[in-house]
Structure formats: structure tokens, C-alpha cells
Amino acid sequence: MPAMPFLRITRARWLSQLFFLGLFLFFAFVTQFGYLKGYPVSLFLEVDPLVAVATALTAHAVYHGLLSSLILLIPTLFLGRFFCNWVCPYGTLHQVTGWLFNRRPPPARIDSNRYRRVYALKYYILLWMLVMAAFGSLQVGLLDPLCLFFRSVTVSLLPALDMAGGWIYLRPHSHQLAWVVGLILVGLVAANLIIPRFFCRALCPLGASLGLLSRFSLWRIDRDPAACVDCDLCLPRCEGASDPHTNLRKSECFVCFNCLDDCPHDALRFAFLPDLMREVTGPDLQARRAIFAGLLGVLFYPFSRRSGDLDENFAKEVVRPPASVAEPEFLERCIKCDQCIRVCPTNVLQPAMMEAGVEGIWTPVLNMRMGYCELNCTLCGQVCPTGAIQQIAIAQKLGVGEFADLGPVKIGTAFYDRGRCLPWAMDTPCVVCEEVCPTSPKAIYSREVEIVTRWGERRVLRQPYVDPQLCIGCGICEHECPVVDYRAIRVTAVGETRSPDRSLLLGTAADAPRST
Amino acid sequence: MSGEPIRRRDFLRRAGTTGLVAAGAALGGAWLHDQRRGDGYFRQQREAAAGRLPSYRVDRGSQAPAMAVARGRDPEALVRAAFGALGGMDQLVRPGDVVVLKPNVAFDRPPALGATTSPAVLAAVARLCQEAGAGRVLVVDNPINQPEGCFHKSGIQAAADAVGAEVVLPRPAAFAPLRIDGEVLTTWPMLYEPLARAHKVIGIAPLKDHNLCRASMTMKNWYGLLGGRRNQFHQRIHGIVADFPHMIQPTAVVLDATRILMRNGPTGGSLSDVAAGDTVVVGTDMVAVDTFGYGLLGRDPAELEYLHRAEARGLGSTRWRDQVWREVQVG
């Protein structure tokens, strides 16, 4: 075997992988108040064609930057699933994990990189997701590698890393069920120790979409049967398990070029328009299984919608970020990437588990015990790549100036639980809620009353009320309430601006009295 | 038993290892053994707090003015005139001093809404400290809203950056429990790390209406040095505010009444809640300064409970007219 040249294409590939992994992590790090500046932090999600196609299916529109996903089609149509082994940061994570922890002798590596039927699973997953999307339920984010990786970084990884000295957050951020998101990350990464690149080969719906597209690509790895001695030495480092030792499975090849390095007889080359007889052009799909996967979508959509999460029985505790679109459309647009959760400065945004229905897993909800919605902040809408949370100006959120006719953006309404409230139930002064209420005039007001305590002592104190016309549901009252377990004032979704069927008061938010 | 008898060396090695592990476990257990009963545990928890804050006051003699009022438009000129009338910053800050400035940055609001200390006033005080030779000027607060947003939106961060003062953000590690031994507060977590470095402390409070304690001024401003469960303070708010001049004896306080939050306090939120005040008051007696300030809100200091509680405890005087004080008109 000739010595490998120092400058070779696989070295360039490593540079590219490390660059994009670094860039992804850099964007994830700067997606926070104080670092955000003008960085295009949504770039990775915006060039993700699966996100663009699926949201186009659900919402019948390609939102803002998602058009740039066309860029990714260009290398795919020329080179194949180039993205998977040159760009995808999640793929790089899997590859590096395997390289570090899955050392095996070459014969075992050859076996672990042979194609298996289970690798077709990703196409059925993709199909199920696209059928769901066609009905209006966006589920690609569950497994799309960029959404999945960003979510894992946001919800589990950064808060964990921050524990070493608090270098990320000013005040530590926590996320409900971070351990579940973390366990999924660890589990998928650990799968590399059994089957290399298991996620990329078997589960990844983005890889599946690119695999489908790669049938049109003009270049591919090609084996010269005359030169090949069937030594299988192209397999020990084959990332995609794409059978380079025989007729290449074009849809599975990650274009990592390791086989070109490893072939001792120069029988492999990256060829332009090679012989179609020497390739397996399309994925290994079975029509009846594909129909079954589609049927799962056809059935699961009504199963979830008839669970009632969008109708009368909608989850009352599910308060969505300000300027979110109405819930049915929210589920058409939210890709569960959790960038909003990452950028939220108060830690109020949390990934939902089941509280927003099965379709709403990992979508953002507000937890007022963990934070509150900052009045002069619209960062979640700034970073949302799909318009599930609309990009609005502060003036629009406040309903002032040119937006006065729209009124303020309300995300819910606060209600007192008088049995738990200190001035109402325990003869004790408090009204922290009124103090922190940020609207002007305050939505929370208090009436001075003179009470006689059980010991006959006369005492003057203030008892608080909510003015539902002024309340915007920001939840700072709930967050600051001293009854710290089950708060004495709590925000629920009723009155939210985004859905007319959840309104509370007759009339519009713009009718609310306001100081000029 | 079959096989060869064990050799002495092997026996000693193997039995010795087992013995060492057993001895180590016994010693470790004895070393870590906690014999306290429950009451001992809880009593120690309660008494674990560290020391008290030192006094940051400067002895300027009995004839030095306790308060100076400057009236006029330009905030920087007002601050200079007020400190000048008080006797000059040179009396308060020595060359090389580390000075902590404590503005009120409680809310994520633009400065024009009057919910936070005016950046111009903060910058002017910082500059005076630097001119008096201060080694470092630290700007410290523990806001109610998200801290970075508060410092940014209030303009305090930019003002500090512009004059070369350092903002110290309230990281959890910067807090430590301190003894206060007040009427209500015994020990409480305080934003102690910058205070431990400080030689001088100057409070800079905006003049604000307050929904519960009627007014937020130089005494109430020290709320922002505390951490922990501050939302319990409201249950005994006048006692708490009257504890603050006991908790900390600052070098001086500044009441920023360049604009006044007249209603909907302490958050405000509308320009119609704000009135022009065109006044800066500086002093060494917080009770006197706040009594004067309450008058600027157009209200009667006789009704403000925490002032009288503090006065009754000898922490200051509401009878500012009886003290040495100055008033200057600027421009």
C-alpha cells in the first residue's frame, strides 16, 4: 500500500467537520442576551431542507430564512449526501464518539460497516413525518439532527457545563426534564459503540431526505471491478455503510472518502456519471412498508387531534411565548429546536413534555415558577426560524405607538388563589405582585382594608386584585409570589391574544385603559 | 485442604491488605461520625452566618453639612454642585480607594421611565470619585428583573463603561450570609463580594413612588444589596426599610430627583408617570435625605412610617432643617 499523501481530501473533510461543529456550538453559545449581537444563529436550521419542506407542507409557506435551504440542495445534487459527513455537526459528534470509544480490530470493523436492512428505517420515519406534516402536524423536529442537537445543547448540555463555575449563565438555568433530553442525547451517542453512526444510518430523517435526493447526484464513489481484489479494506472506515466494496448504495454514502484513502489497489475513485449498472441508485424501500409507514401518519394524526388538546380540553397551564401564532398553527410551525428556550433571558421558557399534547413534545411553554416573561424583550421571536413565534418589535408587544390599535400582546391572565394569598387568607401584608407588575397603570391593584385579627387586633392591609383588561399574563407576579410552592397568583392561558376562542373579555385588548 | 500451603509472604500481603481496608473504613467512619442531635444541627445552621458589614462612613467633624441640595437642569452639574456644597468628594474618597456605587437598577426599563437611577447621575458620581483619586469604581446592584437586561436597558452599563467604572453582576457566588441584627432581619444573604473589596460605598437612588412602602428612596435602595427570599420583606416592609440604615453605614447617599416617578411605582412604565424634578440631594444622613425627598413627591413625611421607625432607633433624623445643610442653585 503506498503511503498516504499528507494533503488529502479526508483531511480537508475533517477541517470542514470541525469548522461546522465549532460554528454550531459557537452559535448555540452566543444565542443569549449580551452575546447575540447580529450573529446568524439560526443558520443551521435555516439551511435544513427538511425543516423547509416540512413547514412548507404544514404552513404552506417557506418562512424568512428557510429559503436558504435551497443552498444545501446544490452540493447534494452534485455530490450526494455530502452534508452528512462534511457539515452536519451532529454527524461529527457521532463520528468522533465512535472514533474515541469504539476501537475494534479491523475484521470486526468491516462487519460493523456492512449494510443492514434496518438502515432503511429512516426512510419510513421520514415518510411518517411527512404524512403528519401534510395533515398539519410538524413532527420532524423530534429527530431532525439539527433540531435534536440544538435542543440537547440548550436543554441539557449547556446547563450541565455551566455547573462548572457558572461561566454561561449569570443565574443558573434549569429545564424541566433536562435529564430526559440528556438521556436521549447520551443514548443515541452511545449507540455508536454497538453500531457505528447508528443515528445517521438508521434514524436520521434529514439523512433520509438527502439520501432520496442523492439519486440525482452526478458524482459518486465508483469501484473498478477489474482492479478490485475483494479485500474489503474499503469497509473498516466506511461511515455510511454504503457497500463501496460492491455496487455502491448511493443513498447511503456520506461521501466521507475514507474508502479512497484505504483502498490498497486504487480500485475506487470519485467518478463523474459512472456506470448505472454498478450502483444501487435509490434507497432500499419496500412499497408495502412505505404504505404502512404512511398509514401510521394517517392514523396518528387523528389519534392526537382527537385527544382534545386543541379543543375544549386545551391545556390551561400551557402559556406560549409572546407573539406565538394560535395553537393549531403553532403546531404547524414549531420544530422543537428550542432556540427560543436558549435565548430566553429569564429561564421562563421550558420544553413541554406531555402538557401541550403529544404533538407538542419539546415545544416551548412558560413556567412562571422558573422565570417570567420580561416586558421589554422579544428575543424568542427574533431567533425563531419558522415563525411559530413571530418576530415583533417591542412597541408591538407593548401595544404602543403605531401598534396602539392592536393592543398589547397578552399571553394569558393572572388569577388569585385567595385561600393561599397572605393578605386575603392570613391577615398578613404582602402585595409583592402589585409591586412587580410591569404595566402602566398596573394590572394588579390593591384595596386598603381594615381587618380584625383572630386576637382582636385591628390591622390595615392591602388586598390585591387583577384587572383582566390590563393583565398581559407576563407572570412576574406568579414568579415573585412568596407562596413559593403552589403560588397564590397564577397565570393561565385564557385571554391570550393569539386565539380568539380563548378570549376572556368582550372587546379587544386595545380597549384597555392605558397611560399615554 | 488441597494444594500447597500458602507462603508466609503471601499471607502477610493478602491479610495485610484486607486489614488495611478494614482499618481505613473504621478510621474514615470515625472521622466523619456526626454525633449531633437534631437541635444541634439546626442551631448551628442558624448561627453559621458570617460577620457584619464594616462602617463606610468618614468622620468629617460635627460642623460638616449632613445634606446638600442642588437644583437645576444639568445632572452632571447638579451632582458636582451638591457634592461641592457637602464639602467636596475629596473629603469622602481617598486616593486609591475602591468605591462601590449602588444605583437602583431594579427593572428592565429605559431610563426616561424613571424606574432606575439616571445614567447621567451615576456617571457624574463615578467621575467625581475618579477625580478624587479612587483606584476603582464598582457599580453594584441585584435587580428584580433579569440583571443583564436591567443594566443594559437602564443605560447604567453604558454609563459605567463610558467613565471606566466596572459593573459587578450579581452572580450567585458573590452572595454570602451576613449578620444584620436588625429589628426584622437577623442574618440575610448579601451581595458581599464587591463590598468586601470596598473602602467606600455610595448609594445612588432614584426618587420613586412605591405601591407598598409609599416611596423608594435612599434607604429602600439597599434592598438591592440583598439576595435570598426578598419577596418576604413586604410582610414587614417598614421594619425592613428601617433596618437598612442599621445594616449599612454608607459613605454618602445620592437622591436622584432629576426626574421623579410620581405614580405606578416602583416600576412605572409610562412617561406620564414621570415628572421633572431637577434636583439632586446628597447627604450622609439617609433619614434626613429621604424626609426631604418625600416632600419632593408632594407628600407629608409625617405619614411615612419607616422614617420614624429609623429615627426612633437613632439611625438618622427627620428634622433635617435642624441639621447643617446647604442648598445651591445651578444654572
Side-chain angles (χ1 to χ4, degrees):
Chain A
M1 185 158 68
M4 282 193 264
F6 180 77
L7 286 174
R8 53 186 194 268
I9 189 92
T10 46
R11 288 253 157 102
R13 192 202 74 216
W14 271 119
L15 282 181
S16 165
Q17 286 183 275
L18 293 176
F19 170 76
F20 284 113
L21 177 63
L23 192 67
F24 182 87
L25 294 175
F26 173 76
F27 282 159
F29 179 75
V30 298
T31 307
Q32 78 179 53
F33 187 91
Y35 297 112
L36 197 56
K37 301 188 175 73
Y39 293 119
V41 290
S42 300
L43 189 67
F44 280 91
L45 292 160
E46 285 174 346
V47 300
D48 183 333
L50 180 58
V51 168
V53 167
T55 52
L57 275 175
T58 54
H60 313 120
V62 175
Y63 185 73
H64 288 200
L66 294 182
L67 203 61
S68 36
S69 60
L70 289 174
I71 295 168
L72 200 60
L73 300 187
I74 298 167
T76 310
L77 289 176
F78 283 93
L79 309 175
R81 276 174 78 179
F82 159 88
F83 176 83
C84 301
N85 227 97
W86 285 73
V87 180
C88 182
Y90 200 50
T92 302
L93 175 72
H94 285 284
Q95 188 175 357
V96 169
T97 307
W99 180 69
L100 283 174
F101 299 106
N102 190 23
R103 294 292 169 108
R104 303 180 189 191
R109 270 160 46 203
I110 288 172
D111 279 341
S112 70
N113 289 337
R114 291 191 195 281
Y115 180 77
R116 303 177 195 211
R117 297 300 304 264
V118 69
Y119 297 161
L121 181 61
K122 59 182 175 291
Y123 298 101
Y124 303 117
I125 292 174
L126 173 70
L127 202 64
W128 170 76
M129 286 174 171
L130 291 181
V131 169
M132 289 290 283
F135 281 115
S137 177
L138 189 60
Q139 298 305 323
V140 291
L142 288 173
L143 284 175
D144 176 275
L146 300 171
C147 299
L148 176 56
F149 196 21
F150 200 96
R151 179 168 71 238
S152 310
V153 170
T154 293
V155 175
S156 307
L157 213 51
L158 288 179
L161 292 174
D162 181 65
M163 287 187 86
W167 56 283
I168 297 170
Y169 311 99
L170 183 61
R171 293 171 177 166
H173 279 204
S174 327
H175 298 105
Q176 51 196 37
L177 294 164
W179 69 271
V180 176
V181 174
L183 204 62
I184 291 172
L185 174 74
V186 171
L188 291 174
V189 166
N192 287 289
L193 275 62
I194 301 158
I195 298 181
R197 302 291 292 260
F198 173 74
F199 176 85
C200 312
R201 292 175 184 176
L203 299 180
C204 182
L206 176 58
S209 349
L210 297 175
L212 290 173
L213 276 176
S214 69
R215 72 157 54 234
F216 305 108
S217 73
L218 304 180
W219 275 267
R220 68 164 172 81
I221 300 286
D222 188 39
R223 184 182 67 120
D224 175 359
C228 177
V229 298
D230 290 330
C231 65
D232 285 353
L233 286 180
C234 49
L235 285 177
R237 297 197 300 139
C238 175
E239 290 296 321
S242 56
D243 288 352
H245 63 300
T246 166
N247 292 341
L248 183 84
R249 292 181 179 273
K250 212 173 161 189
S251 60
E252 307 306 305
C253 176
F254 296 170
V255 204
C256 71
F257 294 126
N258 280 340
C259 55
L260 297 195
D261 275 2
D262 292 346
C263 179
H265 300 284
D266 281 339
L268 293 170
R269 62 193 182 99
F270 195 54
F272 179 63
L273 295 178
D275 189 347
L276 285 173
M277 296 301 287
R278 290 200 302 270
E279 70 180 37
V280 181
T281 307
D284 170 27
L285 279 174
Q286 291 184 7
R288 282 168 194 275
R289 290 188 177 187
I291 291 166
F292 190 80
L295 278 175
L296 285 182
V298 171
L299 284 171
F300 194 73
Y301 177 76
F303 286 171
S304 66
R305 285 298 153 114
R306 283 296 167 264
S307 301
D309 299 309
L310 290 174
D311 310 319
E312 280 83 355
N313 193 34
F314 76 89
K316 50 197 179 298
E317 290 86 6
V318 169
V319 176
R320 293 290 191 190
S324 292
V325 293
E327 191 66 13
E329 209 186 334
F330 191 85
L331 295 177
E332 289 171 3
R333 286 173 177 262
C334 179
I335 52 172
K336 316 161 191 282
C337 66
D338 293 355
Q339 280 203 109
C340 50
I341 294 177
R342 172 72 190 111
V343 82
C344 177
T346 73
N347 198 205
V348 69
L349 286 187
Q350 297 291 329
M353 186 73 227
M354 282 300 173
E355 55 269 42
V358 68
E359 291 176 66
I361 293 174
W362 309 136
T363 57
V365 295
L366 279 79
N367 180 331
M368 310 301 189
R369 290 179 74 196
M370 302 177 91
Y372 62 93
C373 184
E374 189 73 73
L375 185 72
N376 291 311
C377 174
T378 55
L379 287 174
C380 48
Q382 311 294 320
V383 299
C384 179
T386 61
I389 311 170
Q390 291 284 305
Q391 201 169 359
I392 57 166
I394 303 256
Q396 185 177 349
K397 189 179 176 196
L398 304 180
V400 298
E402 56 177 309
F403 306 103
D405 58 321
L406 291 171
V409 174
K410 292 166 175 256
I411 55 177
T413 309
F415 292 84
Y416 280 101
D417 186 341
R418 289 189 180 176
R420 301 181 64 84
C421 176
L422 300 180
W424 279 111
M426 298 166 216
D427 296 348
T428 304
C430 184
V431 294
V432 185
C433 43
E434 181 185 12
E435 170 176 345
V436 294
C437 178
T439 64
S440 177
K442 286 177 184 293
I444 294 177
Y445 60 99
S446 54
R447 292 187 175 128
E448 196 165 86
V449 291
E450 191 181 78
I451 50 137
V452 181
T453 69
R454 62 181 294 213
W455 310 114
E457 182 200 344
R458 288 189 177 279
R459 190 178 279 180
V460 173
L461 51 72
R462 308 197 67 90
Q463 291 175 329
Y465 297 79
V466 175
D467 181 340
Q469 240 183 344
L470 287 167
C471 179
I472 53 173
C474 74
I476 193 169
C477 50
E478 183 175 343
H479 184 248
E480 298 294 330
C481 177
V483 190
V484 288
D485 51 354
Y486 195 50
R487 310 282 156 122
I489 183 165
R490 297 185 298 274
V491 174
T492 59
V494 71
E496 58 177 20
T497 318
R498 64 183 186 131
S499 44
D501 54 337
R502 297 181 191 178
S503 66
L504 178 63
L505 301 175
L506 193 61
T508 66
D511 298 336
R514 238 167 305 146
S515 316
T516 43
Chain B
M1 217 160 76
S2 62
E4 290 187 30
I6 190 163
R7 293 201 317 220
R8 176 180 296 135
R9 180 185 295 265
D10 274 347
F11 170 79
L12 287 177
R13 190 172 52 78
R14 286 165 63 181
T17 309
T18 308
L20 278 177
V21 170
L27 282 174
W31 183 49
L32 292 170
H33 188 206
D34 180 357
Q35 281 188 305
R36 280 178 305 174
R37 287 177 2 165
D39 60 333
Y41 175 85
F42 290 111
R43 202 156 276 133
Q44 276 190 9
Q45 287 253 307
R46 206 177 59 182
E47 288 162 5
R52 287 200 53 170
L53 281 185
S55 171
Y56 300 99
R57 274 201 194 118
V58 173
D59 183 15
R60 301 183 303 137
S62 60
Q63 286 313 299
M67 183 171 91
V69 181
R71 298 182 191 268
R73 281 292 164 89
D74 175 35
E76 161 126 31
L78 286 176
V79 169
R80 284 181 180 278
F83 271 102
L86 196 72
M89 190 63 97
D90 296 344
Q91 280 191 354
L92 303 172
V93 171
R94 299 268 162 236
D97 276 357
V98 174
V99 183
V100 161
L101 302 183
K102 164 62 182 79
N104 181 337
V105 198
F107 301 103
D108 183 295
R109 300 261 153 155
L113 293 177
T116 48
T117 296
S118 144
V121 169
L122 175 98
V125 178
R127 240 181 248 121
L128 277 180
C129 293
Q130 289 163 339
E131 288 167 16
R136 300 172 79 179
V137 179
L138 310 177
V139 179
V140 178
D141 194 20
N142 181 25
I144 291 173
N145 291 167
Q146 197 269 335
E148 287 153 304
C150 291
F151 275 99
H152 177 75
K153 213 79 58 70
S154 65
I156 294 293
Q157 178 81 54
D161 291 347
V163 299
E166 302 160 44
V167 168
V168 181
L169 289 172
R171 299 189 171 279
F175 288 83
L178 251 68
R179 294 194 78 82
I180 293 165
D181 296 327
E183 200 176 277
V184 183
L185 294 172
T186 49
T187 61
W188 206 268
M190 198 182 296
L191 185 42
Y192 180 60
E193 183 274 327
L195 290 173
R197 288 191 272 159
H199 302 103
K200 303 289 158 58
V201 175
I202 299 177
I204 312 173
L207 175 52
K208 301 200 289 179
D209 168 61
H210 195 283
N211 74 312
L212 182 62
C213 65
R214 296 172 186 268
S216 172
M217 299 178 285
T218 65
M219 283 164 70
K220 174 72 167 58
N221 185 31
W222 303 111
Y223 180 104
L225 280 186
L226 297 172
R229 289 285 315 284
R230 295 191 292 189
N231 53 4
Q232 295 175 319
F233 290 175
H234 303 65
Q235 296 163 32
R236 296 174 71 181
I237 192 70
H238 290 283
I240 294 273
V241 177
D243 269 350
F244 291 151
H246 174 74
M247 171 181 91
I248 184 165
Q249 287 93 49
T251 315
V253 291
V254 180
L255 183 65
D256 165 16
T258 52
R259 67 271 184 290
I260 305 174
L261 185 63
M262 300 298 288
R263 69 189 75 84
N264 215 53
T267 50
S270 169
L271 284 175
S272 63
D273 300 330
V274 184
D278 297 330
T279 306
V280 165
V281 187
V282 302
T284 50
D285 178 346
M286 281 185 259
V287 179
V289 171
D290 284 2
T291 310
F292 183 89
Y294 203 60
L296 290 176
L297 276 172
R299 303 178 192 174
D300 177 10
E303 69 178 31
L304 190 55
E305 187 182 331
Y306 65 70
L307 290 178
H308 300 286
R309 285 204 188 202
E311 184 172 46
R313 290 163 64 187
L315 298 170
S317 170
T318 58
R319 293 182 304 280
W320 51 271
R321 283 176 200 282
D322 300 344
Q323 298 177 326
V324 185
W325 69 287
R326 302 274 185 273
E327 179 158 7
V328 286
Q329 185 70 37
V330 180

